[in-house]
Amino acid sequence: MTDKRQNHFRDDIRRTFITYALVPILLISIVFFILMITYWNTSVFKRNNSSRESVCLSLSTLVDNYVKEAEDIAALCDIDQLHKNKVTRQALSTVLYKFTNQMADSAEVYVLDADFEPMVATLNTKPDFVSAETNANWGIIARMRNSPKDSVYDFVTGSDEPGRPMDLA
């Protein structure tokens, strides 16, 4: 009979311990975990949104500046003069170099003719997309064909190795 009472007493103590110690700790842990995840999630979203807005503003300003400069350069002379007159090409290259050197974020800028040959460029190399098949109708080449009078830009990953050398003479 004492064994039954001892077992019953042990079971009561075990139930009491589980009810008043383990269950509250588990509930508090679950609530704490949910609050931690919620706080982390909202802080990540806030930081992500602020970073995204900053990057968007920076990129749109950069693109707007380059497009405005491209339009200003295009207004300086007739495109046909670039083919015929080497002095005009050099003068436009100088203006372009000056502008890109003033910018905090530099870019490779090319003025291409109808055959996708560079007439004025910030580098002495042909861009990689020109060395590819220019009969392709996709990517930046398709955008240039669809809007030949507009500035077309493309964001690519940086490379230490520029495109292939070109002859500007």
Side-chain angles (χ1 to χ4, degrees):
M1 200 168 233
T2 57
D3 284 339
K4 282 186 180 181
R5 277 189 177 165
Q6 281 183 341
N7 285 343
H8 186 66
F9 182 68
R10 283 183 194 158
D11 289 341
D12 284 345
I13 289 180
R14 185 180 302 128
R15 260 187 260 128
T16 303
F17 179 72
I18 289 172
T19 304
Y20 294 107
L22 293 180
V23 170
I25 288 175
L26 287 174
L27 288 175
I28 289 172
S29 297
I30 290 171
V31 168
F32 178 74
F33 182 73
I34 289 171
L35 287 173
M36 184 180 67
I37 293 295
T38 303
Y39 174 75
W40 176 78
N41 203 12
T42 56
S43 81
V44 166
F45 278 127
K46 283 180 186 176
R47 198 173 319 127
N48 190 18
N49 282 339
S50 122
S51 295
R52 180 185 48 80
E53 288 171 3
S54 173
V55 167
C56 286
L57 178 65
S58 174
L59 285 177
S60 66
T61 302
L62 179 72
V63 169
D64 290 344
N65 287 341
Y66 273 101
V67 168
K68 183 185 175 306
E69 185 65 21
E71 289 169 354
D72 291 347
I73 288 174
L76 290 177
C77 73
D78 185 19
I79 291 294
D80 293 330
Q81 289 180 358
L82 289 176
H83 279 292
K84 300 172 188 169
N85 193 340
K86 186 175 181 178
V87 175
T88 305
R89 271 199 317 259
Q90 288 175 344
L92 284 180
S93 293
T94 303
V95 170
L96 194 59
Y97 287 139
K98 236 185 233 183
F99 172 75
T100 56
N101 287 337
Q102 290 173 353
M103 298 297 290
D105 298 311
S106 63
E108 294 177 20
V109 179
Y110 301 95
V111 177
L112 305 174
D113 63 8
D115 298 324
F116 297 103
E117 289 298 319
M119 293 185 291
V120 177
T122 54
L123 293 177
N124 236 3
T125 58
K126 285 187 179 181
D128 291 334
F129 63 86
V130 170
S131 63
E133 182 182 336
T134 54
N135 292 329
N137 199 19
W138 54 275
I140 193 167
I141 292 183
R143 285 184 279 150
M144 286 189 284
R145 284 196 174 123
N146 291 339
S147 53
K149 299 292 182 185
D150 294 335
S151 298
V152 178
Y153 49 90
D154 201 8
F155 295 99
V156 295
T157 57
S159 172
D160 293 338
E161 188 176 309
R164 58 190 170 97
M166 67 180 187
D167 181 22
L168 289 177

